[in-house]
Amino acid sequence: MFSMKQRIQILFGAVGLALVAQAGAGDIDAYPTDPVKLIVPYVAGASTDALARMVGQDLGAEFKKPVIVENRPGAGGTIAADFIRRQAPDGYTFGFTTDGIMAVNPAVYKKLNYDSLKDFTPLSIAVNAPIVLVVRTDSQFKSAQELIAYAKANPEGLSYGSAGLGSSQHMAGELFKSMADVKVLHVPYRGGEPAMTDLLGGQTSMMFVQSASAKELVGAGKIRILAIGSPKRNKQFPDIPTLDEIGLKGYDSDTWYGFNMPANVDPKIVEKLSAAITRSLKKRQEQLEGLGYEVVASTPEEQRKNIEQNLQKWADVAKKAGVYHAQ
């Protein structure tokens, strides 16, 4: 039996816990009450930085609290990812992330300071960025079939440049080589711009680039798109076939951009922020599609499932290419 004093202590303790829980729920309902920080793994001014800022601007307007963009570029996105994972899971720091950061880096880097599944709370895959196979306009190849036939007859007679080891362009090229059963020399560069410069200069034969980047160069008459690496045709280039259509069944080199947070953020905050991101993407859908992106606006659960699948996919590609844990 409890004494009267003990009963009073228990009663007040229970009331106190209930008040704390109620206050916590109120704080979450009012979220955000302070400025929110958005970490971007690219330099200010990059097209990907602009995409992140679009969403950040919309969130700031909806929540009536500033969303402050902080650029932390470098090391294939690992610097930004490490910073995000170390922040308090209070909902006041979230990050712009990619398929490369979440699924390719674990295949290429031997030691990473983050775990893609354990250290983050998914929010949404914002957009897919289709990757296209391109050649110069004066190239002898008018179709992907012609290029593949030449590559089979001339092992390592072709070369392709990429933005660097483990980049989305590199992985798209290695997936192509594996599925087409051809040998094409990979030439890594320090970024996509010098790789494209050498393609246009005739130093390399072909390249895999994001459709958003290819669109301007096609319009300028500098490159020709032979095929698209997406599972379906692109609205911007409806007459260009997919690699799946021309025989590489199941080929999919799309990379994605999205948002995440540190691990263990309250589910109510995740739901609120994810829903706001979705509203922003839907509002800007026409604008984003005009830039060459495909709006996805996934749920957090869909993002996590994608990461799980792509961790295995890109690990397999990296192993076949001989670059598994090469860095």
Side-chain angles (χ1 to χ4, degrees), residues 2-321:
F2 294 109
S3 67
M4 181 60 70
K5 181 179 180 180
Q6 288 173 321
R7 290 177 182 176
I8 293 173
Q9 288 175 335
I10 292 171
L11 175 62
F12 275 97
V15 171
L17 288 173
L19 290 174
V20 169
Q22 186 176 8
D27 289 343
I28 292 171
D29 290 339
Y31 167 86
T33 57
D34 295 306
V36 178
K37 186 180 294 184
L38 170 56
I39 308 302
V40 178
Y42 300 103
V43 295
S47 59
T48 40
D49 172 70
L51 169 59
R53 288 174 186 270
M54 283 182 195
V55 175
Q57 181 182 356
D58 290 344
L59 297 185
E62 177 174 337
F63 292 146
K64 296 180 173 54
K65 294 294 177 183
V67 174
I68 302 167
V69 175
E70 185 175 306
N71 298 90
R72 289 180 174 265
T78 61
I79 293 173
D82 180 55
F83 180 82
I84 293 165
R85 77 168 180 86
R86 291 186 286 106
Q87 303 311 296
D90 56 9
Y92 286 91
T93 301
F94 73 114
F96 188 64
T97 191
T98 72
D99 181 40
I101 293 171
M102 292 289 104
V104 176
N105 281 353
V108 177
Y109 288 91
K110 186 178 295 184
K111 292 184 178 180
L112 273 183
N113 46 17
Y114 62 86
D115 184 297
S116 298
L117 296 175
K118 294 179 180 178
D119 291 337
F120 303 99
T121 300
L123 286 170
S124 177
I125 293 176
V127 298
N128 277 337
I131 292 180
V132 295
L133 169 59
V134 305
V135 294
R136 296 183 306 279
T137 49
D138 62 354
S139 170
Q140 70 186 80
F141 305 116
K142 302 298 189 294
S143 70
Q145 293 95 320
E146 291 178 5
L147 186 147
I148 291 172
Y150 182 91
K152 287 182 179 293
N154 300 272
E156 296 188 358
L158 299 177
S159 61
Y160 78 97
S162 80
L165 191 68
S167 65
S168 59
Q169 298 167 347
H170 178 208
M171 291 293 100
E174 294 305 316
L175 183 61
F176 171 83
K177 287 164 58 177
S178 175
M179 296 187 70
D181 192 24
V182 294
K183 293 183 179 180
V184 180
L185 178 65
H186 171 232
V187 184
Y189 291 81
R190 290 183 178 274
E193 188 172 336
M196 178 56 72
T197 297
D198 270 11
L199 173 69
L200 297 178
Q203 280 72 47
T204 54
S205 316
M206 53 189 272
M207 192 171 170
F208 293 85
V209 298
Q210 289 184 9
S211 60
S213 301
K215 184 179 179 181
E216 183 177 345
L217 293 169
V218 169
K222 294 183 177 181
I223 61 172
R224 177 188 304 125
I225 300 178
L226 299 184
I228 293 177
S230 304
K232 59 183 181 180
R233 293 200 180 197
N234 189 289
K235 290 182 180 179
Q236 299 298 314
F237 310 105
D239 297 328
I240 304 296
T242 67
L243 286 168
D244 178 274
E245 285 180 62
I246 63 120
L248 306 189
K249 296 300 181 183
Y251 184 97
D252 179 4
S253 61
D254 278 3
T255 189
W256 56 256
Y257 299 107
F259 298 90
N260 65 6
M261 305 182 86
N264 303 316
V265 175
D266 189 288
K268 289 186 178 180
I269 291 178
V270 174
E271 181 180 3
K272 189 170 186 178
L273 189 54
S274 178
I277 290 171
T278 295
R279 285 190 289 273
S280 169
L281 294 168
K282 295 296 185 183
K283 183 178 78 172
R284 293 184 179 268
Q285 183 163 351
E286 185 175 348
Q287 180 183 4
L288 291 169
E289 288 179 349
L291 295 173
Y293 297 115
E294 178 191 359
V295 173
V296 179
S298 80
T299 65
E301 293 75 21
E302 288 168 340
Q303 186 186 43
R304 177 173 290 278
K305 183 177 180 180
N306 181 283
I307 293 170
E308 290 173 347
Q309 292 173 339
N310 282 5
L311 279 168
Q312 185 61 56
K313 170 185 173 179
W314 294 124
D316 291 343
V317 171
K319 286 174 183 176
K320 290 180 181 178

